[in-house]
């Protein structure tokens, strides 16, 4: 099948319906703007399953997403959207670039969720934006920026509690949004251990052992596959538990 677009972790294919695209989740993993490359066995299948599950949960909370359905273990059908060239990052706890850029100590609980916008532009290394830079570069309108901020916070409120029920701390995560033909803003891309920092609450005193996300790959911590599997298992068990109790 002819590809419409190939990114670092996913391939997008067209379908017979121009409003619908097929997302194929790859096992390929990259870090540091693709300077580090590798594969994580079963990642495509796991990330597709986790993303599908989280998109469905968010839809149930009234958050519009591009998700339609999962059609294979590593393939999802999504609504065709024009992706905004922005990465919307929400942080609850200091880690990663926030610590590097501000000197905050890793693990510092932030007094309120921090929403940040990064420019999705590999040539520039995805720099941090300000509100006015977004407007000057025409990356989104003021109204869209406000919508992005409030959607990101609503998603954070829901996911923080959901992950906590899985005994996982949602440290931070990255979202992407797209516009459909009617200019509605839909949550797009994926939400997975590739795009979140997730810390195991049962290993709070072990800064490396608690990591259940792509930082295991970025920092060569080992046991990457089993961490991704653990996240999937906990999410699916939690959903089974809540549906059984309904
Ligand atoms: P950062 O601390 O490196 O800025 O990352 C913040 C969050 O965004 C973290 O959960 C990882 C995620 N992220 C991506 O999904 N893609 C990226 O390219 C980067 C740099 C971070």
């Amino acid at each position: 099948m002819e590809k419409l677009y190939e990114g670092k972790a996913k391939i997008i294919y067209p379908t017979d319906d121009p409003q619908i695209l097929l997302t194929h989740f790859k096992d390929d993993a990259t870090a540091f703007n693709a300077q580090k490359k590798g594969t994580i066995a079963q990642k495509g299948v796991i990330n597709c399953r986790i993303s599908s599950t989280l998109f469905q949960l968010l839809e149930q909370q009234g958050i519009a997403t591009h998700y339609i359905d999962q059609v294979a273990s590593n393939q999802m059908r999504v609504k065709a959207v024009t992706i905004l060239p922005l990465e919307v990052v929400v942080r609850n706890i200091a880690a990663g670039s926030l610590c590097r850029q501000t000197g905050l100590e890793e693990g510092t609980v932030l007094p309120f969720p921090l929403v940040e916008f990064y420019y999705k532009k590999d040539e520039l290394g995805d720099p941090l934006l300000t509100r006015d830079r977004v407007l000057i570069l025409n990356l989104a309108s003021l109204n869209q920026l406000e919508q992005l901020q409030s959607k990101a916070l609503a998603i954070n409120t829901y996911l923080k509690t959901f992950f906590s029920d899985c005994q996982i701390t949602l440290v931070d995560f990255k979202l992407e949004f797209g516009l459909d033909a009617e200019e509605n803003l839909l949550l797009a891309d994926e939400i997975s251990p590739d795009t979140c920092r997730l810390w195991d609450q049962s290993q709070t005193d072990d800064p490396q052992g608690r990591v259940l996300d792509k930082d295991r790959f970025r920092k060569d911590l080992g046991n990457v596959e089993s961490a991704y599997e653990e996240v999937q298992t906990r999410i699916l068990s939690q959903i089974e538990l809540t549906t059984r109790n309904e």
Side-chain angles (χ1 to χ4, degrees):
M1 220 194 317
E2 194 193 325
K3 296 170 191 173
L4 199 64
Y5 170 81
E6 178 156 7
K8 294 169 195 142
K10 295 186 291 300
I11 305 172
I12 310 289
Y13 295 101
T15 69
D16 294 339
D17 183 341
Q19 311 276 14
I20 297 176
L21 302 176
L22 189 69
T23 306
H24 174 102
F25 286 71
K26 302 195 283 187
D27 289 347
D28 297 350
T30 65
F32 316 119
N33 203 4
Q35 287 179 67
K36 181 181 170 91
K37 290 191 174 121
T39 53
I40 301 172
Q42 289 301 108
K43 177 169 86 80
V45 169
I46 294 172
N47 281 1
C48 186
R49 188 78 194 271
I50 292 176
S51 284
S52 296
T53 307
L54 297 178
F55 282 145
Q56 287 175 73
L57 287 173
L58 290 168
E59 285 278 355
Q60 288 164 18
Q61 300 302 309
I63 291 155
T65 78
H66 71 159
Y67 177 78
I68 300 174
D69 54 12
Q70 207 186 321
V71 288
S73 62
N74 57 0
Q75 290 186 351
M76 186 194 281
R77 290 196 314 154
V78 299
K79 293 174 197 157
V81 291
T82 307
I83 298 282
L84 298 180
L86 292 173
E87 299 198 337
V88 183
V89 169
V90 184
R91 302 177 189 271
N92 297 304
I93 293 176
S97 68
L98 179 64
C99 296
R100 286 199 302 277
Q101 294 177 4
T102 65
L104 270 172
E105 195 184 331
E106 182 179 82
T108 307
V109 178
L110 304 181
F112 55 87
L114 174 61
V115 181
E116 297 176 324
F117 298 93
Y118 291 82
Y119 192 7
K120 232 172 99 76
K121 203 160 181 70
D122 286 343
E123 310 91 276
L124 299 176
D126 295 351
L128 178 63
L129 293 165
T130 61
R131 189 195 74 137
D132 286 350
R133 284 185 184 188
V134 171
L135 298 177
I136 282 168
L137 293 170
N138 257 321
L139 305 177
S141 67
L142 188 55
N143 176 274
Q144 286 168 342
L145 259 188
E146 281 164 3
Q147 279 190 62
L148 290 171
Q149 172 102 12
S150 65
K151 281 175 191 283
L153 287 172
I155 292 165
N156 182 51
T157 301
Y158 179 76
L159 289 184
K160 216 166 79 162
T161 305
F162 176 76
F163 275 112
S164 185
D165 291 342
C166 302
Q167 279 70 58
I168 291 172
T169 300
L170 179 59
V171 174
D172 58 31
F173 57 99
K174 184 267 296 180
L175 301 171
E176 293 185 29
F177 290 84
L179 291 170
D180 69 9
E182 285 82 45
E183 301 262 300
N184 298 308
L185 259 185
L186 306 186
L187 176 63
D189 194 52
E190 65 176 291
I191 307 178
S192 71
D194 267 12
T195 62
C196 302
R197 282 198 176 89
L198 304 166
W199 290 353
D200 186 352
Q201 291 178 354
S202 68
Q203 302 208 39
T204 41
D205 45 2
D206 178 358
Q208 297 199 342
R210 69 187 173 187
V211 175
L212 293 176
D213 57 70
K214 196 170 157 189
D215 271 349
R216 298 208 75 82
F217 170 78
R218 293 189 188 97
K219 300 180 181 175
D220 292 319
L221 301 180
N223 300 319
V224 188
E225 289 86 356
S226 55
Y228 278 57
E229 267 163 28
E230 181 66 21
V231 173
Q232 169 173 261
T233 303
R234 290 201 201 176
I235 288 175
L236 298 182
S237 312
Q238 179 56 26
I239 286 175
E240 209 183 294
L241 196 70
T242 43
T243 36
R244 212 184 306 143
N245 291 339
E246 269 168 15

